[in-house]
Amino acid sequence: MNKTWLIIKREYLSRVRNKAFLLSTFLLPIVMILFIFGSVFFASRSSDSKKLIAVVNDPGYIKGNLSADSAKVVFQFNEAITDKNFIEKGFDGVLFMNTDSTIKKFKLVSKKTISPVTKEYIEERLDKAFTNRQLLNRGITPLELDSITKNSTGFSSIQNNVAGENGEEKKVNAGLNYGIGFASGILIYITMFIFGAMVMRGVMEEKTNRIAEVMVSSVKPFQLMLGKILGIGAVGLTQLFLWIVLIFALMSGAQLFISAETLSQVQQLQQNPAMANNNTAMVSEAAKNIYEMQTSLIAIPWMKIIVCFIFYFFGGYLFYSSLFAAIGSVVSDDAQEAQSLMLPITMPIIFGFIILSSNLNTPDNSAMFWGSMIPFTSPIVMMGRIASNPPMWQVALSMFLLIIGFLFTTWLAAKIYRTGILMYGKKPTWKEMLKWAFRKA
């Protein structure tokens, strides 16, 4: 055990003191935040410029129902415009209507491909025109309909509260819960790839440099593999802890950009929550939004999420890193060979991410349930469900199966590692590696 501890210490300290570790730890959260804000900024700046569209063959009721001007499209009715001369006339496109009112398909010829947003806007305006025509045929004017719609929408609001085990109610934010679950699942998905590949590269380097031959003369192969896995796993936990601290520090620093008046209003809402529902209260929308976010964050079971995250991070890491170590032990410096052997390992990880991203809005369906039970996908999928508060027996069963799973994969990988770490000049297959694993000692 002392030898295993020495290997863990060596792997941990050699990586934590590395400049790459420090840079990735402290720069990655900042880069991610900048990436998110940059994406939002460029998305807002990349909206289509206003389009000038000529409309031809008006059946008689379109012109009066299409808005003459908008932020996206300007419609001009001009029968002299054709698909041959619209560019020289200064139009971005020409929309050909159908004289047959039963046909709802139209042709738009444009100078450049229009964006889906602009196309959807034009379709909405045409649908509005057809709706207004049908209303007029039934004796209802568009003004009457707009008045009814204006006076009957925007008043209904549903607050979803969850009943606790002791009968108390907890206010929840489904969108925030889904966001936290997805972020936790994707973070485990990424770290399993990163740290699993780190274990594999470490084993490959030691084998290529013949360091492994020296180490196995005084340390058992299983101790060497276990020490490397636990040492790199400790590096991962350290990095995650520092990321959490840095993110909370950045979130605390974000309060400096909120005005003192808004913060004062948030404090008033905390002292008197009823003000949030009072439209006449002198409280800004920004203060109400901050208060709602704080209330939603407090209602989230953070302790449960953090404990489960640490367990599934380390459990998933142990489950897969031992298999990555087994691959590293049978290959030397041939990256292509390593990639071909990695495919059966990486496919379940990718499949777990697909299950999570495809079923996030239905965390209790059968795909999410079985994905959170099977050890190959449970570290990713269960973290996607954990914020939606699944039954404790499901969480306990998932944890138990994951423990059984990583004990099995560690045993399997150790037997492959023991043979592969001292083998050179041969390219084994998975079939041959499994023979090593189940061969009687």
Side-chain angles (χ1 to χ4, degrees), residues 80-92 111:
I81 302 299
T82 67
D83 56 355
K84 306 296 183 184
N85 65 0
F86 75 93
I87 296 178
E88 62 184 55
K89 296 293 184 180
F91 290 92
D92 295 299
K111 183 166 53 176

Side-chain angles (χ1 to χ4, degrees), residues 75-188:
F75 296 100
Q76 287 190 10
F77 291 78
N78 191 334
E79 296 297 330
I81 302 299
T82 67
D83 56 355
K84 306 296 183 184
N85 65 0
F86 75 93
I87 296 178
E88 62 184 55
K89 296 293 184 180
F91 290 92
D92 295 299
V94 54
L95 178 63
F96 294 92
M97 307 300 297
N98 291 312
T99 55
D100 186 351
S101 61
T102 62
I103 300 176
K104 302 299 189 294
K105 291 186 178 180
F106 313 99
K107 182 175 70 171
L108 174 65
V109 180
S110 58
K111 183 166 53 176
K112 296 180 181 179
T113 303
I114 62 172
S115 70
V117 175
T118 302
K119 179 175 179 289
E120 183 179 0
Y121 174 79
I122 296 174
E123 291 173 344
E124 287 177 354
R125 299 309 306 165
L126 291 173
D127 288 342
K128 183 70 173 177
F130 285 115
T131 301
N132 289 341
R133 180 170 180 262
Q134 293 178 24
L135 290 172
L136 289 173
N137 290 339
R138 290 168 173 77
I140 303 174
T141 66
L143 291 176
E144 291 174 338
L145 179 65
D146 291 341
S147 176
I148 295 172
T149 303
K150 183 178 179 180
N151 293 324
S152 61
T153 58
F155 294 98
S156 300
S157 177
I158 297 177
Q159 171 58 51
N160 181 205
N161 291 351
V162 175
E165 297 178 355
N166 299 324
E168 75 282 2
E169 293 185 0
K170 292 183 179 180
K171 186 177 181 180
V172 297
N173 186 323
L176 186 61
N177 286 350
Y178 294 154
I180 292 173
F182 183 76
S184 301
I186 192 65
L187 188 56
I188 290 181

Side-chain angles (χ1 to χ4, degrees), residues 336-395:
Q336 185 174 359
E337 181 184 353
Q339 289 177 356
S340 64
L341 291 174
M342 281 174 58
L343 184 62
I345 298 176
T346 56
M347 286 304 294
I349 302 177
I350 297 173
F351 186 59
F353 173 72
I354 293 173
I355 294 175
L356 173 65
S357 57
S358 303
N359 301 275
L360 191 63
N361 292 325
T362 53
D364 295 321
N365 67 8
S366 57
M368 292 287 277
F369 171 79
W370 288 109
S372 63
M373 294 296 118
I374 299 172
F376 285 95
T377 56
S378 63
I380 298 171
V381 179
M382 181 53 85
M383 283 311 305
R385 297 183 61 203
I386 206 70
S388 62
N389 200 26
M392 282 306 300
W393 71 266
Q394 294 185 11
V395 179

Side-chain angles (χ1 to χ4, degrees), residues 64-75:
N65 289 294
L66 282 185
S67 58
D69 195 359
S70 74
K72 296 178 181 178
V73 179
V74 176
F75 296 100

